[in-house]
Amino acid sequence: MINMDDRPARSAPVGFSNPVVVNSFVGILSSMEILAVFLFLLFLAWTYYARISNDFKKLMPIKSLKLDLWQIKYLRVATRFGLLAEVCLALLLLPILRVLPIFQLIGIQFEASVRYHILLGTSMIFFATIHGASTLFIWGVNHHVQDEIWRWQKKGRIYLAGEIALVTGLVIWITSLPQIRRRRFEIFYYTHHLYIVFLIFFLFHAGDRHFYMVFSGIFLFGLDKLLRILQSRPQSCILSARIYLFPSKSIELTLPKDPRLKYTPTSVIYMKIPSISRFQWHPFSITSSSNSDNHTMSIVVKCNEGWTSSVYDMIQAELDSDAGSMNCIPVSIEGPYGPASLDFLRHDSLLLIAGGAGITPFLSIIKEIASLSSRRYRFATRVQLIYVVKKSQDVCLLNSVSSQLLNQSSTQFSLNLKVYVTQEEGSNATVIGLLNDFSLVRTVNFSTKCSNYAVHGLDSSVLMASMVALSSIKFLVSLIFFNRIFVPTEMKSSASQKMVVPSENKASKEKTPSSVVDLLLLASFIIALACNTFVAIVLRWKRLKKDIPAASPKQGNKSIELAGSVEASTVEDHEIHFGGRPNFQADILSKFSDETGGSDIGVLVCGPESMKESVASLCQLKSQGLNIGAKGKKPYFFFHSLNFTL
């Protein structure tokens, strides 16, 4: 058994990640998140005040519009709201970078950073709507809407482009609302690609000077998108599928993996099956451990409707076909993307709370701890898993960790399970009985003739940094080259200026039309990414030719294996409760702290937001005051929120 005294003490800064504000409207916020939001809002307020106060000091009437003083001031206020939208746009794309994870450098994982992307996007649309609607209001008061909106200016802003960008942004935002994103994911996914239209028309509306403010985030996102496309080439294949026989419609898919690929628990991959959709990517939590499975990795697909239901129907159709062998199912894989460290597993004890499909990240955690406990790694030696489901049939998702649940004599950590079935009345069933009842699965091996490529994961961080630097240099060189050729020099020599008449001198200083400069910037952007694409393709081709091993060949036959029942040899009984939700305060947190006696308890929650908020509130209440590393005092609960969907 691992000595708990040898475990390094928890550092105080970890406590700052615990929830401080728990609210159904704003969600769960830690002190670090509150500080970051406060500083961002302070920056927005200072930027707005500095610009608008300077504008009011230098109010200039607009020649094309005969405006009153209040109308001029209101128009300047509306214009500066557009500046706030630019600030939000400058940061909007940074949280969703995957290959170049900027937010991971400050300890924020991709699944959590999506929340900041949503907040920034909502703020940007809010400011942009005020900016556009207020401008149209002033034009409407003076009956100049048609004159101004259709004016294609040679210099300065193009208002029509701004209106198109605003409408496009509103369409993207509306289809991103939870009511549409969760029920009609395809609509959300496809309309989100309108960001290309939005960015192009924003460039023509704001001009190159304002575009440089947001360019860094757009440039990194474009490069990140490029590297993700290359990473998903060539296609891999599904090695096998385990179909649960009961009506839960769940499938465990096994994919080939490079033995050198190591990923952390709770990691996520993005998968596309071209035979179902050539454009849709869906995220899945990896349920296997790279320390115990060297050549394969697995995911669990809960087949409800839409794309996931198509996966189930496709595999079921293969099983029901009269063909003698199973076809090959090609897939494209991005990732794995996961936490950079395992600090969230280094607590004295772990309390894992899952709801429904939220069990999937915990499957990899349990397997990881089980595989590393025999190597004397300093992970939690006592783990309790709370699993809340609607129907008892959902317990089948625990099938892949049944050996850890029922045969703990060979492991050096204690794992206890409590299942709560909320929509079924009381029963005499036991956890062991349910696992036996729902352990019947059909295991099918697929052919690998279409692709024998094993997933190798992300490239090194050094290579990624080199790609960013190389692309930046190419962009600057291209931009300078185009400006030297297509943009005439505005400043003449001093001798030439003295020889021309004032009217000609004024004309010589006229700027090039802004649309030309915008096109040159866009061309430089495309050239930089195109050159980088060529370099990345060459590097990928060399690596595939030399280093990447192929997937282990499968027979691809139609033999069906039925997993038999399991026998329990554990000395500790697992619990199952019917007809209600758990009382987290009385039945879970208090009892677990009394049983463990430790002062360092990690609480990981994955499930509905209401469950997360309830547990976060209790952790906040029970862990008031810093007792980190203290012995013999009240336990300190470290709250961690996990996501299984985006």
Side-chain angles (χ1 to χ4, degrees):
M1 185 70 67
I2 299 173
N3 188 357
M4 298 293 290
D5 295 333
D6 294 337
R7 191 182 310 276
R10 306 294 299 176
S11 58
V14 178
F16 291 104
S17 63
N18 256 11
V20 174
V21 175
V22 181
N23 185 274
S24 57
F25 179 73
V26 298
I28 303 170
L29 297 178
S30 66
S31 57
M32 294 298 293
E33 290 174 316
I34 293 175
L35 178 61
V37 171
F38 173 76
L39 293 176
F40 178 68
L41 294 177
L42 186 64
F43 173 73
L44 288 181
W46 174 83
T47 302
Y48 188 81
Y49 173 77
R51 295 300 180 91
I52 200 66
S53 60
N54 185 60
D55 290 342
F56 283 175
K57 292 178 182 178
K58 302 177 181 179
L59 286 176
M60 296 291 291
I62 302 176
K63 295 181 180 180
S64 61
L65 298 174
K66 296 180 180 180
L67 303 179
D68 297 333
L69 180 60
W70 74 269
Q71 293 173 344
I72 296 176
K73 288 185 176 181
Y74 187 69
L75 189 60
R76 298 309 301 169
V77 168
T79 301
R80 291 311 176 188
F81 267 102
L83 178 65
L84 298 183
E86 286 183 8
V87 175
C88 295
L89 180 58
L91 302 175
L92 178 65
L93 299 175
L94 297 181
I96 56 174
L97 300 180
R98 301 178 198 168
V99 182
L100 307 171
I102 303 297
F103 270 46
Q104 276 198 15
L105 298 178
I106 56 177
I108 300 176
Q109 301 309 316
F110 177 77
E111 295 81 4
S113 63
V114 171
R115 178 174 63 174
Y116 302 105
H117 171 74
I118 295 173
L119 293 176
L120 287 169
T122 302
S123 302
M124 182 193 71
I125 292 299
F126 173 74
F127 294 137
T129 302
I130 295 179
H131 166 68
S134 300
T135 303
L136 290 175
F137 171 73
I138 295 298
W139 290 349
V141 169
N142 292 271
H143 308 288
H144 286 89
V145 174
Q146 293 184 356
D147 296 337
E148 293 296 325
I149 200 172
W150 294 105
R151 180 175 297 176
W152 191 274
Q153 300 178 357
K154 293 183 178 180
K155 300 182 293 296
R157 295 172 177 84
I158 301 173
Y159 295 120
L160 178 61
E163 298 302 325
I164 296 176
L166 177 59
V167 172
T168 305
L170 286 172
V171 171
I172 295 174
W173 179 77
I174 292 174
T175 55
S176 300
L177 295 175
Q179 294 83 352
I180 298 178
R181 186 179 72 249
R182 295 173 182 173
R183 298 179 182 178
R184 296 291 185 269
F185 182 83
E186 292 79 7
I187 296 177
F188 155 77
Y189 180 81
Y190 289 122
T191 55
H192 233 62
H193 285 79
L194 291 175
Y195 71 85
I196 300 175
V197 177
F198 173 82
L199 294 176
I200 291 176
F201 281 97
F202 170 80
L203 168 62
F204 284 105
H205 170 65
D208 61 306
R209 292 186 178 181
H210 287 267
F211 194 77
Y212 285 129
M213 179 178 178
V214 303
F215 178 76
S216 58
I218 297 174
F219 187 76
L220 288 176
F221 177 78
L223 183 59
D224 184 89
K225 186 74 173 180
L226 164 68
L227 295 176
R228 279 157 41 196
I229 292 174
L230 294 178
Q231 184 202 12
S232 62
R233 303 290 190 275
Q235 292 180 343
S236 183
C237 61
I238 299 177
L239 294 180
S240 62
R242 304 178 73 224
I243 305 177
Y244 297 97
L245 296 182
F246 284 85
S248 60
K249 294 190 69 175
S250 300
I251 303 176
E252 183 178 358
L253 302 179
T254 302
L255 305 169
K257 180 183 76 71
D258 186 336
R260 294 164 294 183
L261 173 59
K262 300 297 180 181
Y263 50 83
T264 52
T266 73
S267 292
V268 174
I269 64 170
Y270 281 74
M271 184 174 70
K272 178 181 70 173
I273 302 181
S275 57
I276 296 178
S277 174
R278 299 183 61 86
F279 303 103
Q280 289 189 39
W281 292 87
H282 291 261
F284 296 98
S285 297
I286 301 178
T287 58
S288 57
S289 169
S290 58
N291 290 298
S292 57
D293 301 313
N294 291 325
H295 298 278
T296 61
M297 62 181 179
S298 59
I299 61 174
V300 172
V301 182
K302 190 75 179 294
C303 306
N304 295 321
E305 58 183 9
W307 186 89
T308 56
S309 181
S310 299
V311 175
Y312 184 89
D313 294 339
M314 179 186 64
I315 295 179
Q316 193 66 45
E318 289 288 337
L319 287 172
D320 297 338
S321 64
D322 297 331
S325 60
M326 302 301 296
N327 293 325
C328 179
I329 302 179
V331 295
S332 298
I333 301 295
E334 288 183 9
Y337 308 110
S341 67
L342 297 176
D343 288 341
F344 65 100
L345 297 181
R346 299 182 185 276
H347 300 284
D348 295 340
S349 304
L350 281 179
L351 179 60
L352 312 180
I353 302 176
I359 190 64
T360 52
F362 295 143
L363 300 180
S364 61
I365 290 178
I366 294 173
K367 292 179 181 179
E368 184 80 6
I369 296 177
S371 64
L372 295 180
S373 61
S374 59
R375 307 181 190 182
R376 304 189 64 82
Y377 279 77
R378 295 178 178 178
F379 289 139
T381 56
R382 185 176 180 87
V383 180
Q384 184 171 97
L385 174 61
I386 309 299
Y387 190 24
V388 184
V389 295
K390 294 180 179 180
K391 302 292 184 179
S392 57
Q393 64 190 28
D394 293 331
V395 177
C396 68
L397 296 180
L398 295 173
N399 185 273
S400 62
V401 293
S402 59
S403 59
Q404 286 81 15
L405 288 170
L406 302 178
N407 301 295
Q408 299 185 40
S409 58
S410 59
T411 62
Q412 299 186 31
F413 80 104
S414 172
L415 175 61
N416 176 247
L417 170 66
K418 291 184 179 181
V419 178
Y420 290 83
V421 184
T422 61
Q423 295 185 3
E424 291 183 6
E425 297 300 327
S427 171
N428 295 326
T430 63
V431 172
I432 296 175
L434 288 179
L435 285 175
N436 282 328
D437 292 340
F438 297 110
S439 64
L440 297 179
V441 296
R442 304 175 72 180
T443 303
V444 184
N445 295 327
F446 294 97
S447 171
T448 60
K449 293 181 179 180
C450 62
S451 175
N452 62 347
Y453 171 69
V455 179
H456 72 281
L458 304 176
D459 293 316
S460 65
S461 56
V462 176
L463 180 59
M464 295 297 100
S466 301
M467 288 286 186
V468 174
L470 186 62
S471 299
S472 302
I473 294 173
K474 290 175 182 176
F475 170 75
L476 292 176
V477 171
S478 301
L479 191 60
I480 294 173
F481 175 76
F482 284 141
N483 275 274
R484 297 283 292 182
I485 293 179
F486 295 102
V487 179
T489 305
E490 296 176 7
M491 299 301 296
K492 308 295 181 180
S493 61
S494 58
S496 300
Q497 290 180 358
K498 294 179 181 179
M499 296 176 61
V500 298
V501 296
S503 60
E504 294 177 350
N505 187 25
K506 182 179 180 180
S508 66
K509 293 184 179 181
E510 286 188 355
K511 295 181 179 180
T512 304
S514 61
S515 58
V516 174
V517 180
D518 297 340
L519 289 174
L520 295 181
L521 190 152
L522 190 61
S524 302
F525 178 82
I526 294 175
I527 288 176
L529 291 185
C531 293
N532 212 63
T533 302
F534 176 76
V535 174
I537 290 175
V538 172
L539 294 177
R540 173 58 58 89
W541 178 77
K542 289 184 177 180
R543 184 175 182 181
L544 291 176
K545 188 177 180 180
K546 294 182 180 180
D547 298 333
I548 304 300
S552 302
K554 294 290 182 181
Q555 296 297 325
N557 53 41
K558 210 171 181 178
S559 61
I560 298 177
E561 303 174 4
L562 296 180
S565 62
V566 289
E567 297 181 0
S569 61
T570 178
V571 297
E572 188 172 6
D573 242 353
H574 302 293
E575 300 177 13
I576 184 168
H577 305 271
F578 289 89
R581 293 180 174 86
N583 186 331
F584 290 111
Q585 181 173 3
D587 299 335
I588 307 301
L589 269 69
S590 297
K591 286 186 178 181
F592 186 67
S593 61
D594 294 338
E595 293 171 359
T596 57
S599 60
D600 182 0
I601 300 175
V603 181
L604 283 69
V605 185
C606 186
E609 290 300 320
S610 57
M611 174 187 290
K612 293 181 181 180
E613 293 169 4
S614 176
V615 177
S617 298
L618 292 175
C619 290
Q620 178 188 15
L621 179 65
K622 289 181 171 293
S623 298
Q624 292 178 349
L626 293 178
N627 299 291
I628 304 170
K631 300 296 181 181
K633 297 183 179 181
K634 68 176 184 179
Y636 193 92
F637 293 90
F638 292 87
F639 178 82
H640 303 272
S641 177
L642 302 179
N643 294 304
F644 63 95
T645 59
L646 300 180

